[in-house]
């Protein structure tokens, strides 16, 4: 009897973990650069089963926004909102939100913890490690690796600021990026509820910011 009940639960857990990692990777991809046409087509074709949850509502809204957008327009919008000539409408760096400046204490702390976890910065990116896209990518890797540091990393490096950053993105005037901000904010808030208690019981101790 125990095998009959345990195996489906394990399978459901693995599916949930895989979905969480995929969402982190999608957020990372869309924060780092505008969607190309294949990705925009994929988002446009999403068929979301409405279960009444806030997250499925966000997915539906993002799919609708994707259908109304073009990749060229989103390339311009991404630059305006998240990059800018000097800075974009949203500055997606932990140091900015946590310390009020770029390349500050939050970045130093993050670099120490990433090194402690065995990750290295990709040579293909010029962004500092505290870019929200980079931290979402680390979260995806921690989930896929079944790392015991997952919850602690989230609480130290995403929970204090990521929801506010996504809320600022939600306020921009491009529908697609506004809906992306809403999805990100809702997902991060859900992750906080999922991981807060777990972090309190983890034995892993990362550097305090």
């Amino acid at each position: 009897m125990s095998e009959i009940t345990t195996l489906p639960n394990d399978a459901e857990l693995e599916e949930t973990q895989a979905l969480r990692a995929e969402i982190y990777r999608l957020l990372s991809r869309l924060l780092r650069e505008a969607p190309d046409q294949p990705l925009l087509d994929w988002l446009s074709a999403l068929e979301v089963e409405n279960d009444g949850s806030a997250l499925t509502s966000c997915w539906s809204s993002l799919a609708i926004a994707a259908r109304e957008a073009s990749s060229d327009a989103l390339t311009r919008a991404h630059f305006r909102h998240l990059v800018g000539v000097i800075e974009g409408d949203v500055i997606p760096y932990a140091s900015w939100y946590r310390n009020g400046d770029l390349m500050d204490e939050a970045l130093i702390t993050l670099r120490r913890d990433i090194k402690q976890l065995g990750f290295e910065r990709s040579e293909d990116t010029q962004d500092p490690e505290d870019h929200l896209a980079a931290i979402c990518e680390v979260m995806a890797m921690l989930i896929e690796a079944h790392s015991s540091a997952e919850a602690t990393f989230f609480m130290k490096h995403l929970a204090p600021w990521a929801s506010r950053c996504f809320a600022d993105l939600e306020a921009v005037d491009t529908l697609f990026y506004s809906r992306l901000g809403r999805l990100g904010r809702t997902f991060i808030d859900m992750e906080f509820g999922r991981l807060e208690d777990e972090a309190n019981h983890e034995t892993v101790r990362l550097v305090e910011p």
Side-chain angles (χ1 to χ4, degrees):
M1 177 66 78
S2 60
E3 291 183 356
I4 294 175
T5 57
T6 299
L7 290 176
N9 288 340
D10 288 346
E12 182 178 348
L13 177 61
E14 285 297 319
E15 183 178 351
T16 298
Q17 298 295 74
L19 178 59
R20 290 175 59 229
E22 288 175 6
I23 294 174
Y24 275 114
R25 288 196 186 281
L26 179 64
L27 292 174
S28 175
R29 167 67 175 79
L30 293 175
L31 288 166
R32 197 177 296 282
E33 59 184 339
D36 56 18
Q37 195 59 51
L39 178 54
L40 194 59
D41 291 342
W42 180 82
L43 290 167
S44 299
L46 283 177
E47 296 182 0
V48 182
E49 183 178 347
N50 189 355
D51 60 5
S53 70
L55 195 62
T56 56
S57 175
C58 291
W59 281 115
S60 295
S61 296
L62 184 64
I64 292 170
R67 292 171 200 141
E68 298 176 0
S70 71
S71 59
D72 288 343
L74 291 184
T75 297
R76 295 190 294 270
H78 181 274
F79 182 83
R80 182 161 58 92
H81 297 318
L82 290 162
V83 182
V85 176
I86 298 177
E87 61 186 40
D89 299 323
V90 180
I91 304 174
Y93 294 93
S95 292
W96 181 264
Y97 276 86
R98 303 189 68 178
N99 307 122
D101 206 351
L102 295 174
M103 308 289 287
D104 214 316
E105 182 64 26
L107 174 59
I108 296 171
T109 302
L110 177 64
R111 281 176 172 167
R112 290 172 183 166
D113 285 352
I114 287 176
K115 183 177 181 180
Q116 179 182 336
L117 291 169
F119 294 116
E120 295 182 359
R121 179 183 177 184
S122 171
E123 297 179 357
D124 297 331
T125 181
Q126 297 179 347
D127 292 321
E129 293 90 333
D130 66 335
H131 193 292
L132 183 51
I135 304 178
C136 285
E137 183 71 15
V138 172
M139 276 299 299
M141 290 188 288
L142 289 173
I143 292 168
E144 290 169 345
H146 303 285
S147 171
S148 60
E150 173 197 332
T152 297
F153 184 87
F154 174 89
M155 295 304 297
K156 288 187 179 297
H157 297 297
L158 280 176
W161 71 284
S163 185
R164 287 184 289 135
C165 182
F166 278 121
D168 288 342
L169 186 60
E170 190 177 0
V172 303
D173 60 9
T174 301
L175 183 63
F176 179 86
Y177 282 102
S178 175
R179 295 299 180 261
L180 176 63
R182 182 185 171 204
L183 172 67
R185 176 181 57 79
T186 301
F187 178 65
I188 291 296
D189 289 347
M190 290 176 61
E191 286 286 274
F192 183 89
R194 174 194 297 272
L195 297 173
E196 183 181 21
D197 288 340
E198 184 178 334
N200 291 333
H201 292 88
E202 281 185 356
T203 57
V204 174
R205 292 291 178 264
L206 300 177
V207 179
E208 290 291 344

